[in-house]
Amino acid sequence: MSMSGVAVIGVGMTPISSTSDKSLTELFVQAAKEAIDNAGIDRVDAMYVGNMMSGFLQHQEHLGPLMASALGKEGVPTYKVEAACASGGVAMNVGMKAVLSGLDKIVVVGAVEKMSGYSTPEVTTGLMMAEDRLKVATSGVTFVGLNAMIAREYMHRFKVSHEIMAELPVLCHENALDNPKAQFHKRITVSDVLKSPLVADPLRLYDCSGIGDGAAVVILTSTEEARKFTDTPVEVAASSVASDTLSLYQRKDITMFEASRKAANEAYGRAKLTPADIDVLEVHDAFSVLGLMALEDLGFAQKGKGAQLLVNGECNRDGRLPTNTFGGLKARGHPVGASGMYQIAELTLQLTQHAAKCQVPNPSIGLAQSIGGIGSTVAVHILRRI
Amino acid sequence: MSMSGVAVIGVGMTPISSTSDKSLTELFVQAAKEAIDNAGIDRVDAMYVGNMMSGFLQHQEHLGPLMASALGKEGVPTYKVEAACASGGVAMNVGMKAVLSGLDKIVVVGAVEKMSGYSTPEVTTGLMMAEDRLKVATSGVTFVGLNAMIAREYMHRFKVSHEIMAELPVLCHENALDNPKAQFHKRITVSDVLKSPLVADPLRLYDCSGIGDGAAVVILTSTEEARKFTDTPVEVAASSVASDTLSLYQRKDITMFEASRKAANEAYGRAKLTPADIDVLEVHDAFSVLGLMALEDLGFAQKGKGAQLLVNGECNRDGRLPTNTFGGLKARGHPVGASGMYQIAELTLQLTQHAAKCQVPNPSIGLAQSIGGIGSTVAVHILRRI
C-alpha cells in the first residue's frame, strides 16, 4: 500500500423491496449504471460481483459475465465473490486488492441479491448455507435460531433487557424514514418491537431484518487518479477481512465475534486510527443483538454495554457516533450478499455530503462492518474523505 | 507488477473420482495439507477457494471459513471465488492480485468441486448455471447440447472429421495412464470414440469429460520470498482473465472464443512471450472440440487447423508442444470449479521436474487455459521456471 491508496469515486444503489419484479441482472445493472454515471467513467478494467444465493435460489452462477455483458462491458475480467451475508463486504476487499495490484485501474465492485418470490423453506435453507450444512443445518436449527441462542446468552450474561435491545431497531426505522431507497418506511416504538410476533425466542419480528432484493455498486480507482473523476474522492483507509470457525458450536464465547475484533483491530492499525476517530458507523444488525455486539467488538463500548450508546442517544444522527444512518440492515433492508456494499455506498454519500435527509454533520471518517454467517467472516472498512 | 512477481511454491491435488466418499471439506483439506506440506509454510495470510456448484448441489456456501476452520487456519481472510468451470483459474488470478497488492504475503489458493452422488438432472441443471438461466436454460438445452452446436458448426465449416477430432481424447487417455491421480486409466482408440454412445450429436461419450470430485491447491508468495521455501520456484509470468457474452446466442462466430484470444494476447504481452516460447500446455478440453479451438485461439494453429498438431504428434509428451500431459479434463478429470487449479498444479510439477512418469523433457515455460461456461470466462496463466 506504499505506492498509492484506493478511492471510491462513484456509487449506485437500487431501492430494496420484497415485491420487486426485477431479475438479478436488472437489479445489478440498475445500480451499476447509476454508479458508472455517478463516477463519470468511460471504461472499466475489471468487475467483481458479490452475491450469496444465486446458485441455490435462481439456479444461476457465473454472474460476472452475466452482469458485464448486460452492461455492455463484455470482455473485462469479472467474477463472483462469496462469503455469505458478507459477500458485498469481501467483494470490496477483493476489488481494493485488484486496484492495489496495479493490474486494474478502474474497477466496478458491486453486489446483488434476490430473495423475494421464494418460499420460506427455500429462503431459510438458503440462509443456512452460511453455516455448516453437514454438521449443523441438518439438525434443523435455522439461521435465526442460531442468532436467538446468541441473544439469549447475551441478554442473560450482561443483564440486557429486551426493552434496551429494541432501541436499535427503533433507531434504524427512524433513520430509514429519510432514505427513499429503504425497504421499510414505518416508525416503530420499543413497545412495537416487544409486541411483534416471536420468530425464535427471544428474537421477535422487529429484532430481525427482512427479506428483500437489491443491488449496490461502487467504482474504485487509485487515490492518484481519483481527482480526475470527482472533487470529493473518498479513500479506502483500510479494508480488513477476518474469519472464524464456520460454526457457532465451535466457539468458546458466543457473545462476541472474534473475527469482528480481529478485522477491526487490523483496520484501525492500517488506517492509524482509533474508534474515537470514527464519525459515522454502519454495523451489521441483521438481528438486533448483533448490532449491540458490533458496538462492543468494534471498540465503541465495553463488553455488554453496547446498548448504553443507544440509550444515551449517541448513535442518533445528531449524536457522537451516528450509526446505521440510512436505516441499517433492519430498515434500509438486508439483501444478504449485497448489504455490505450498501454500507460502503452509504458511507460514501455521508462523507461526500450527498446523504440528503440522512446527512450527518460534516463527517470525515466512516467505518462499516459486514458479517458473513454467525460471525464466521467479518469485513471492516474505514473510509476517509480526502 | 514492477515491484516483484508472484511465485508458486507448493502444490497439492486429490485423486479425481466419481465414487468418492469424501465431503467437499475433506477433499479441500486433503489437497491443502499436501500443498502446505509441499511448500513448507508455517503461516497463511489469506485463502481463496474456487468452486462453482456447492450452493446448488451441497446447499453449502461460505466455503472460505468452512475450509480455513477445517485446516486450523480460522482467522485468515478467506472467500469463495466463482466463474463457473473457470472458478479455479480465476481464483488463481485473484490470489495473484492479493500477493501483488502487498497485503497478503503467503496465500493459499485452491479449488474444489463435488459432483458425484447426484442425479443426472441435478448435475445437468448445475452445469447450466454457467449459462443464462432465464433466457437459455429454460429452453431445455443442456450444457453439452450447446457444445454440440459448436462442434457441429466447427466440423462443418473447417471440414474436420470426427476421426481427427477424436485424436485429442485418445491422447488425453494415453497421458492419464501415467497419472496416478487421474480419474480414468483406460487406453482408448479413435474407433472407441466413434463407437461410444451419442450424448448430443455429434458429441459422443468419449468426446466429453466426465463427472468427478476433486480439489487442487497451490501456495503463492512473492518471487522475492519464494527461494526461502523452495529451490525451484515457478513464477506466474502472466495471469489474465477475459470475459465474453454469457450466452452462445449472442456471438457472431461460435467456432472461436474471443475471451480466449483476449486473455491469451494479454498474457503473452505481459510475459513478453509468444506461442513459440511455450514448452508445455494445458487446455480446457471439457469437450474435444474445445481443445482444438483452444490450440487455435491461443495462437498455436491457424483457424480450423488445431487438429493438425495432434495428427502430427506435436502435442504428445515428446512432441514440440506437449499438451494435457496429465490427461487433461477428459482423462485426468473435470471437477468443474477445480479443473483450472489442477492445470496450475500440473504445470508447476512439470516446470519443477516433479511430474514423474508424466514429465516432459526440461520445460521452462508452461501455459494453462481455463474456460468458464461457453467461453464466457477464460483465464490464461503463463508459468515460468526461475
Side-chain angles (χ1 to χ4, degrees):
Chain A
M1 295 186 70
S2 52
M3 323 141 282
S4 169
V6 175
V8 181
I9 56 169
V11 306
M13 290 177 267
T14 70
I16 295 177
S17 165
S18 65
T19 57
S20 173
D21 59 356
K22 289 191 155 65
S23 70
L24 206 59
T25 309
E26 288 165 338
L27 288 164
F28 188 88
V29 165
Q30 180 180 337
K33 283 188 170 168
E34 187 177 307
I36 287 169
D37 286 351
N38 184 235
I41 56 172
D42 55 10
R43 72 166 224 265
V44 171
D45 295 333
M47 195 167 94
Y48 299 85
V49 182
N51 169 268
M52 175 183 182
M53 296 208 209
S54 75
F56 180 73
L57 286 181
Q58 282 86 38
H59 298 181
Q60 177 72 69
E61 289 289 359
H62 220 180
L63 300 191
L66 176 64
M67 302 310 175
S69 181
L71 274 168
K73 304 290 181 191
E74 59 270 14
V76 302
T78 177
Y79 3 98
K80 170 172 166 174
V81 179
E82 187 273 334
C85 336
S87 297
V90 304
M92 179 72 182
N93 180 260
V94 171
M96 183 205 58
K97 286 176 183 168
V99 175
L100 286 180
S101 78
L103 294 177
D104 301 324
K105 304 286 188 199
I106 298 182
V107 173
V108 174
V109 185
V112 60
E113 202 76 69
K114 182 171 178 63
M115 305 167 71
S116 72
Y118 299 93
S119 69
T120 301
E122 283 174 308
V123 174
T124 302
T125 302
L127 289 169
M128 269 303 276
M129 297 194 302
E131 246 275 12
D132 192 314
R133 174 74 188 166
L134 296 176
K135 294 182 184 162
V136 177
T138 46
S139 74
V141 67
T142 61
F143 194 69
V144 59
L146 290 166
N147 283 280
M149 293 180 201
I150 291 173
R152 174 66 74 205
E153 172 73 5
Y154 180 90
M155 292 166 75
H156 170 74
R157 194 188 309 176
F158 301 112
K159 311 278 182 281
V160 174
S161 68
H162 208 151
E163 284 77 0
I164 286 186
M165 194 164 75
E167 293 284 349
L168 184 57
V170 168
L171 172 65
C172 287
H173 274 257
E174 189 70 27
N175 287 344
L177 290 172
D178 294 324
N179 175 6
K181 293 183 174 178
Q183 181 170 2
F184 300 110
H185 293 112
K186 179 183 179 181
R187 180 169 284 124
I188 62 170
T189 64
V190 167
S191 168
D192 291 334
V193 177
L194 269 62
K195 286 189 294 192
S196 65
L198 202 55
V199 178
D201 196 9
L203 297 177
R204 293 180 176 269
L205 186 65
Y206 284 140
D207 288 302
C208 307
S209 51
I211 301 297
D213 304 348
V217 174
V218 305
I219 314 294
L220 303 180
T221 191
S222 67
T223 45
E224 287 159 359
E225 296 288 312
R227 285 193 195 275
K228 293 183 185 169
F229 299 97
T230 174
D231 294 333
T232 56
V234 168
E235 182 191 23
V236 185
S239 171
S240 293
V241 174
S243 64
D244 199 346
T245 63
L246 187 68
S247 296
L248 196 62
Y249 79 84
Q250 298 168 303
R251 310 276 173 79
K252 285 181 186 156
D253 180 355
I254 66 170
T255 64
M256 52 82 81
F257 288 150
E258 188 59 41
S260 267
R261 297 183 172 214
K262 188 168 192 294
N265 287 337
E266 189 178 286
Y268 289 131
R270 284 192 179 151
K272 299 187 172 56
L273 294 169
T274 72
D277 297 312
I278 305 302
D279 299 318
V280 55
L281 176 65
E282 294 295 325
V283 297
H284 189 98
D285 62 320
F287 303 98
S288 49
V289 66
L290 299 186
L292 307 192
M293 288 164 61
L295 291 169
E296 300 159 15
D297 290 335
L298 300 172
F300 299 108
Q302 295 291 311
K303 193 85 202 83
K305 302 290 186 192
Q308 285 308 314
L309 299 182
L310 290 155
V311 172
N312 299 343
E314 296 181 55
C315 295
N316 297 350
R317 285 205 297 248
D318 59 0
R320 187 178 61 85
L321 184 67
T323 300
N324 291 7
T325 60
F326 284 73
L329 277 58
K330 175 67 200 79
R332 168 244 288 133
H334 183 29
V336 291
S339 294
M341 196 55 63
Y342 273 91
Q343 295 178 324
I344 303 295
E346 290 165 351
L347 282 185
T348 302
L349 292 180
Q350 286 288 2
L351 298 174
T352 56
Q353 300 276 347
H354 287 111
K357 292 172 78 176
C358 295
Q359 186 67 50
V360 304
N362 203 29
S364 56
I365 297 171
L367 186 148
Q369 174 228 33
S370 175
I371 301 179
I374 315 290
S376 316
T377 297
V378 177
V380 170
H381 285 88
I382 299 178
L383 304 187
R384 179 164 45 193
R385 198 176 58 194
I386 54 173
Chain B
M1 295 187 69
S2 51
M3 322 142 279
S4 169
V6 175
V8 182
I9 55 169
V11 306
M13 290 178 268
T14 71
I16 295 177
S17 164
S18 64
T19 57
S20 173
D21 60 356
K22 288 192 156 65
S23 70
L24 208 56
T25 308
E26 289 166 336
L27 288 165
F28 189 88
V29 165
Q30 180 181 337
K33 283 189 170 168
E34 187 177 307
I36 287 170
D37 286 350
N38 184 234
I41 56 173
D42 55 11
R43 74 166 223 265
V44 170
D45 295 331
M47 195 167 94
Y48 299 85
V49 181
N51 168 269
M52 176 182 180
M53 296 207 211
S54 75
F56 180 74
L57 286 181
Q58 282 86 37
H59 299 182
Q60 178 73 67
E61 289 289 358
H62 220 179
L63 300 190
L66 175 65
M67 302 310 176
S69 180
L71 274 169
K73 303 291 182 192
E74 58 271 12
V76 303
T78 177
Y79 1 99
K80 170 171 167 175
V81 179
E82 186 274 334
C85 335
S87 296
V90 305
M92 179 71 182
N93 180 259
V94 171
M96 183 205 58
K97 286 177 183 168
V99 176
L100 286 181
S101 78
L103 294 177
D104 300 324
K105 304 286 188 200
I106 298 181
V107 173
V108 174
V109 185
V112 59
E113 202 77 68
K114 183 168 177 65
M115 305 167 69
S116 71
Y118 299 92
S119 67
T120 302
E122 284 175 306
V123 174
T124 302
T125 301
L127 289 169
M128 268 304 274
M129 297 195 302
E131 246 275 12
D132 192 315
R133 174 75 185 165
L134 297 176
K135 293 182 183 161
V136 177
T138 47
S139 74
V141 67
T142 61
F143 195 70
V144 58
L146 290 166
N147 283 280
M149 293 180 202
I150 292 173
R152 175 65 76 204
E153 172 72 6
Y154 179 91
M155 293 166 74
H156 170 74
R157 194 189 306 178
F158 302 112
K159 310 280 181 279
V160 173
S161 68
H162 208 152
E163 284 78 1
I164 286 185
M165 194 165 75
E167 294 284 349
L168 183 57
V170 169
L171 172 66
C172 287
H173 275 257
E174 189 70 28
N175 286 344
L177 290 171
D178 295 325
N179 175 6
K181 294 183 173 178
Q183 181 171 3
F184 300 110
H185 294 110
K186 178 183 178 182
R187 180 168 284 124
I188 61 171
T189 64
V190 167
S191 168
D192 291 334
V193 177
L194 269 61
K195 285 187 295 190
S196 65
L198 202 55
V199 178
D201 196 8
L203 297 176
R204 292 178 176 270
L205 187 66
Y206 284 141
D207 288 302
C208 307
S209 52
I211 302 297
D213 304 348
V217 175
V218 306
I219 313 295
L220 303 181
T221 191
S222 67
T223 46
E224 286 159 359
E225 297 288 311
R227 284 191 196 278
K228 293 182 187 170
F229 300 98
T230 174
D231 295 333
T232 56
V234 168
E235 182 191 23
V236 185
S239 170
S240 294
V241 175
S243 65
D244 199 346
T245 62
L246 187 69
S247 296
L248 197 62
Y249 78 85
Q250 299 167 302
R251 310 276 173 79
K252 285 182 186 156
D253 180 354
I254 65 169
T255 64
M256 53 83 81
F257 288 150
E258 189 59 39
S260 266
R261 296 182 173 213
K262 189 168 190 293
N265 287 337
E266 189 178 287
Y268 289 131
R270 283 190 180 152
K272 298 186 173 58
L273 295 169
T274 71
D277 296 311
I278 304 302
D279 299 319
V280 55
L281 175 66
E282 293 295 324
V283 297
H284 188 99
D285 62 319
F287 304 98
S288 49
V289 65
L290 299 185
L292 306 192
M293 287 164 60
L295 292 169
E296 300 159 15
D297 290 334
L298 300 172
F300 299 108
Q302 294 291 310
K303 194 86 203 80
K305 302 290 185 191
Q308 286 306 316
L309 299 182
L310 291 156
V311 172
N312 299 344
E314 295 181 56
C315 295
N316 297 349
R317 286 205 295 249
D318 61 359
R320 187 178 60 84
L321 183 68
T323 300
N324 291 7
T325 61
F326 284 74
L329 277 58
K330 176 66 200 82
R332 168 244 289 134
H334 184 27
V336 292
S339 294
M341 196 56 62
Y342 273 91
Q343 295 178 324
I344 302 295
E346 290 165 352
L347 282 186
T348 301
L349 293 180
Q350 286 288 2
L351 298 174
T352 56
Q353 301 276 348
H354 287 112
K357 291 171 77 176
C358 294
Q359 187 66 51
V360 304
N362 202 29
S364 56
I365 297 172
L367 185 148
Q369 174 228 32
S370 176
I371 301 178
I374 315 289
S376 316
T377 297
V378 176
V380 171
H381 285 88
I382 299 178
L383 303 186
R384 179 164 45 195
R385 197 176 58 196
I386 54 173

